[in-house]
Structures are given as structure tokens and as C-alpha cells.
Amino acid sequence: MILQPTQKETMSQKIKLHANNTRPFADASWKEQLKHLITTVDQLREYVNITEQEKTEIEEAMVKFPMAITPYYASLMDPEDPRCPVRKQAIPTSKELIIANADIEDPLAEDHDSPVPGITHRYPDRVLLLVSNQCAMFCRHCTRKRMVGDDNQHVNKNQLNDAINYIRNTPGVRDVLISGGDPFLLSTKRLDWILTELNAIEHVEIVRIGTRTPVVLPQRIDDELIAMLKKHQPVWVNTHFNHPREVTEQSKTALRKLADAGIPLGNQSVLLRDVNDCPMIIQNLVHRMVENRVRPYYLYQCDLSRGIEHFRTSISKGIEIMEMLIGHTSGFAVPTYVVDAPGGGGKIPVMPNYLISMGSRKMVLRNYEGVICLYSEPPIKETTCPPDCDYCDRNMPAGQKWAPDVGVGKLFDQTNDVISIVPENLERVQRRTYDASEGTGEPQS
Ligand SMILES: *Cc1c(COP(=O)(O)O)cnc(C)c1O
Ligand code: SF4
């Protein structure tokens, strides 16, 4: 599985080959690049060769989902090869117009779990704050395709104020995830204001920003932005590299500036068919990440959003990739593979099984090599802990209890006597209220 040095060289040579900065505006400042975004096929033709047939298809798809590509990202494209992973992520195809049976407009129910516009509050202690619907590039696989770049969904300052007020008035929120669109497309000044407001909220312990600019517009990570971010520590930044070909000199510089400023970096990739659905590509990608001080955080199974079915792989493909990462490479290079549950259930981690059997106090495990081993459990019945432990929920005032009162954690919680978790409206439970004297056989509510 480990790539040989010669293969590695070929990969970096390829990267150099395609990072062709002689193309128009490919290395211009971020503002210049945004002024010269590629939004038509004719502009795109300065970077890649496009047949008349492809032109027609692209233009058809653009009516529904507009195209926007930064000159820098376009300069990474292979001009001759339509299968180029950079092209696939950026150039529309007629496949986007296919509405598949499984497609859902808002698959993650982000609009549904929203107490105020701009906030998705799904997990108890953290919220998603949408601050912009603009992106440097419109990724073809974007899960929020329904709103990115839509002028009617513009995030104005009033909406932002309401969203920040919600966080201020919700003491349980200790982690704020700033996303969009791309938060780094806001002016540095506006972002400074948002971070200042959030920092002033006592219960907000950390802020993280999700941005694809290190990949599609690395010039955005300029000294002014870095100086501003440094004022607001702790700020974590998560970026979105999907393919080793996106790791260029420019993106490395952007990552280095962020890391040198003391900002912890993470990467969230999306598993995309014919782009990166290969253990070797993902292994190469995660190695390029850690080499640049970026911790691979999540590998996402592609969502059920409209117009992206052609990007979806099977979940088994993702498990195969995890099988070939875990144990084979540094633990911190391995992301968590997650399926974001349709309907708003949140991220569900999925991986190969390592626990293969168990007996009385005997756990049978297997490792990445296929070695099967026995772990003997200790001969004790339960944990004994001091009754006055400072961290224990039993000793906390009501409002500060942490122990999960949802999910399977409820079964472990010593402070209650719950013995089962039953789905709402379970038919079997409804049958218990059957009233023989009525004789209807209908469940009574
Ligand atoms: C992903 C996500 C989060 C953050 O989840 P982590 O697992 O903590 O990274 C929070 N809110 C929403 C709605 C999300 O989709
Ligand atoms: S940067 Fe993120 S939000 Fe913007 S288009 Fe790409 S995937 Fe969507």
C-alpha cells in the first residue's frame, strides 16, 4: 500500500506540470481572482480544451447550477484529460440535471433543525453558523448546492445579529462552527466583527471555520487575515482537500501561514466517484495533509443532495478505504469516515469491524494484518469511583449536568435507571394497550 518513492516523484511532477501559473490571473491576488472568476465556457477555454458537445452540456447544466471557478484552480486542470479530478470538481456536466430517486432537496434537514435563519443546532453543545452563501468556486459536488451563490439567500448583518444572539442566549453552546458558503469570502473586517462578537460570549469556548480557500483560492490566506485570526484564538480551521493534485506550492504556503499562526488545521474530504474513490489516492492525500500540518478529520460519504448522484460511491467503497488506512499508516493521518444521516441524524461513523467475537471476559479482536488475538477482561464487576468526584454529574447543579440523556449513553448513565430505549410510536408498544372489551383490535392511544 505504501507508495514507492518513484511513484511519489511522479505525483509531485504531475502537480508541477498542471500548476501552470502562466495562465491568466492564476497567481493574482484573491480580490483580482474573484474579479476574474471563470463563469463562461469561453473563459474556461483559456485553460482547458473543450469540445462543442461538452460546451453544450456545460451550458445546459449551468442554467440550473451556475459555474464559478477561480483562475488559480483552473490552472491546476489537465487541459487534455476530461477525467482530471480538478476538472470533475469544477466543471458542470449534464449529469447534474438528473434528479435521482434517492435525491433530497435538503438531505441533512439543515433548514429544519434551524431555530433562527443561519443557525443549525443539531448537537447539544455546538452549532453551525452560516455567515455567507458565497464561495470562491462552486464545487460540483456541494451538498449545499441549493443555496450557494443564490442571491436571494444572501446573509445580511441583521440575520447575522439574530444568529449570534441565539448563541448568546443558549448557554449550552460551547463550540461554534462557522461555515457557509465560505466564511473566508467575507471581508477580513466583517469576519473580525463576527469573531469579536463570538469571543465576547462567555460560554463559547472555541470557534472553528470551515473554508475551501486554501484549495481553490490560497491567495486569500494573506497576512492581514492571519493577523486578524491570531487575535481570536482559539480558532480552528477546517479545509477541504479532496485530491493530492490540489496540494500545490500555493496551497502549501497558505497552510504554512495558518499553522505558523498557531491555528490547528483539519481537513474534511468528500468521497467522490472517479475523483478520489481509491485507497491509494486517499492514502497519498492524507500523507500530503500531515506533511503540511493538517490533521485529516472527516472523510464524508457523499450526501443525497440534488444533482450529485453521479459523485456517489457505495458505502462499502469507503469501508474498503478505511480498511487500507487503519494500521497501515500513522493514526493521526486516518480520518473518521462518516455518513451524514439523511433526515438530520447527524454524522454516523462507519468502519471495518475489529471486534470479531466475545466470550465471558474474553474479547476476540483482529488487527489490520488479520492477526486474531484475545484480550482478557479484568475480573472486576464495576468501576468504583469516589462519591465526591468534581467531574461527576451526581455532584453538579441541574443546569450543568453533562452525562448524555440521549442515545445509548443513557443506558450507561449511573444517575438514572433506564433499561431500554424505545422508538416513538412503536407498534409493539401500542399493542400493549389493546382493550379486549372494545374488541376492535385497534391500538388505543
Ligand atoms: C458537522 C456538524 C457539526 C460539527 O460536528 P463535529 O462532529 O463536532 O465536527 C455541528 N453541527 C452540524 C449541523 C454539523 O453538520
Ligand atoms: S466551498 Fe464548500 S460550500 Fe462552497 S461550493 Fe464548495 S463544497 Fe459547497
Side-chain angles (χ1 to χ4, degrees):
M1 272 318 301
I2 306 293
L3 289 175
Q4 298 308 311
T6 46
Q7 283 171 285
K8 241 182 170 173
E9 270 161 32
T10 331
M11 191 59 77
S12 58
Q13 276 160 6
K14 263 193 193 154
I15 292 165
K16 282 198 197 97
L17 185 72
H18 296 300
N20 188 342
N21 300 329
T22 60
R23 303 242 172 71
F25 303 102
D27 219 5
S29 74
W30 68 282
K31 285 183 181 158
E32 275 301 297
Q33 295 219 30
L34 291 176
K35 266 187 225 146
H36 295 95
L37 279 183
I38 298 159
T39 55
T40 68
V41 175
D42 287 331
Q43 291 167 316
L44 190 58
R45 279 185 158 154
E46 296 196 48
Y47 298 81
V48 288
N49 296 326
I50 289 177
T51 63
E52 280 309 299
Q53 157 96 32
E54 283 166 334
K55 178 179 154 102
T56 314
E57 281 192 22
I58 296 169
E59 283 172 348
E60 267 169 30
M62 269 166 51
V63 176
K64 180 118 193 260
F65 299 113
M67 173 173 80
I69 308 171
T70 57
Y72 161 79
Y73 198 70
S75 77
L76 309 185
M77 293 174 181
D78 184 327
E80 306 301 335
D81 184 5
R83 293 170 315 163
C84 161
V86 175
R87 283 172 69 151
K88 290 219 160 169
Q89 292 181 67
I91 304 178
T93 69
S94 54
K95 294 192 186 112
E96 293 175 31
L97 299 173
I98 302 168
I99 304 283
N101 287 339
D103 288 0
I104 307 172
E105 168 83 2
D106 172 20
L108 308 181
E110 289 185 319
D111 302 344
H112 196 75
D113 279 343
S114 176
V116 289
I119 293 268
T120 302
H121 194 171
R122 172 154 307 148
Y123 300 101
D125 70 336
R126 51 210 192 279
V127 293
L128 180 67
L129 169 64
L130 302 181
V131 296
S132 149
N133 71 336
Q134 297 300 314
C135 286
M137 179 178 99
F138 297 159
C139 307
R140 303 328 297 175
H141 56 273
C142 180
T143 190
R144 301 209 188 102
K145 233 172 165 166
R146 68 184 186 283
M147 56 195 206
V148 163
D150 180 348
D151 285 340
N152 297 324
Q153 300 231 11
H154 200 72
V155 184
N156 61 38
K157 199 157 177 178
N158 282 341
Q159 180 183 324
L160 263 177
N161 258 322
D162 290 348
I164 293 169
N165 269 333
Y166 174 81
I167 297 171
R168 195 173 286 125
N169 297 328
T170 315
V173 176
R174 43 161 290 283
D175 173 3
V176 178
L177 212 144
I178 304 179
S179 183
D182 197 318
F184 281 180
L185 272 231
L186 295 179
S187 68
T188 305
K189 200 166 146 226
R190 169 63 71 94
L191 204 51
D192 190 15
W193 173 76
I194 295 171
L195 292 172
T196 305
E197 292 291 299
L198 291 174
N199 267 344
I201 304 172
E202 208 177 325
H203 55 265
V204 174
E205 295 170 6
I206 58 163
V207 169
R208 35 178 169 161
I209 300 175
T211 176
R212 212 180 179 200
T213 55
V215 186
V216 296
L217 187 64
Q219 296 81 359
R220 173 62 181 108
I221 313 300
D222 58 11
D223 295 342
E224 186 193 50
L225 179 72
I226 293 288
M228 186 280 287
L229 292 174
K230 267 181 114 158
K231 293 193 307 185
H232 298 289
Q233 311 273 36
V235 177
W236 293 55
V237 168
N238 269 332
T239 183
H240 174 180
F241 285 86
N242 286 332
H243 196 281
R245 194 174 284 181
E246 294 168 336
V247 184
T248 64
E249 286 312 314
Q250 291 94 326
S251 60
K252 284 181 189 173
T253 302
L255 296 173
R256 180 169 41 74
K257 284 186 174 175
L258 289 163
D260 283 352
I263 296 167
L265 298 174
N267 186 57
Q268 316 199 142
S269 300
V270 188
L271 186 56
L272 299 170
R273 190 161 117 213
D274 295 338
V275 174
N276 62 7
D277 56 341
C278 158
M280 270 159 289
I281 292 174
I282 295 289
Q283 197 199 53
N284 194 295
L285 175 67
V286 298
H287 288 168
R288 299 293 75 74
M289 290 294 99
V290 295
E291 196 173 63
N292 288 285
R293 291 180 279 172
V294 182
R295 167 80 156 93
Y297 182 44
Y298 282 136
L299 173 65
Y300 283 96
Q301 173 65 11
C302 192
D303 288 328
L304 299 172
S305 291
R306 294 240 153 98
I308 63 175
E309 193 178 62
H310 56 293
F311 281 120
R312 285 167 58 203
T313 66
S314 60
I315 292 180
S316 51
K317 174 54 81 178
I319 293 176
E320 178 190 332
I321 290 172
M322 295 310 290
E323 179 71 54
M324 293 168 96
L325 286 178
I326 297 171
H328 297 273
T329 189
S330 324
F332 59 76
V334 181
T336 305
Y337 175 44
V338 290
V339 181
D340 218 334
K347 299 173 187 74
I348 301 173
V350 200
M351 60 167 167
N353 293 326
Y354 293 94
L355 177 60
I356 58 177
S357 193
M358 61 183 106
S360 173
R361 282 200 205 130
K362 289 181 167 41
M363 306 302 277
V364 180
L365 306 151
R366 63 103 178 167
N367 80 348
Y368 74 104
E369 300 165 304
V371 170
I372 295 178
C373 63
L374 169 70
Y375 179 88
S376 298
E377 302 254 78
I380 43 174
K381 289 207 178 66
E382 62 187 69
T383 309
T384 48
C385 46
D388 55 351
C389 174
D390 282 350
Y391 298 94
C392 186
D393 263 15
R394 278 173 293 200
N395 305 321
M396 294 281 179
Q400 289 173 36
K401 283 187 187 294
W402 179 83
D405 56 0
V406 290
V408 175
K410 191 153 64 175
L411 298 177
F412 297 144
D413 186 351
Q414 299 172 27
T415 62
N416 65 42
D417 50 11
V418 177
I419 58 159
S420 69
I421 297 170
V422 182
E424 225 178 304
N425 304 324
L426 186 71
E427 227 180 290
R428 178 169 62 78
V429 171
Q430 289 180 14
R431 281 197 294 273
R432 289 178 189 164
T433 57
Y434 174 73
D435 181 348
S437 65
E438 290 276 330
T440 59
E442 289 295 310
Q444 312 290 299
S445 55

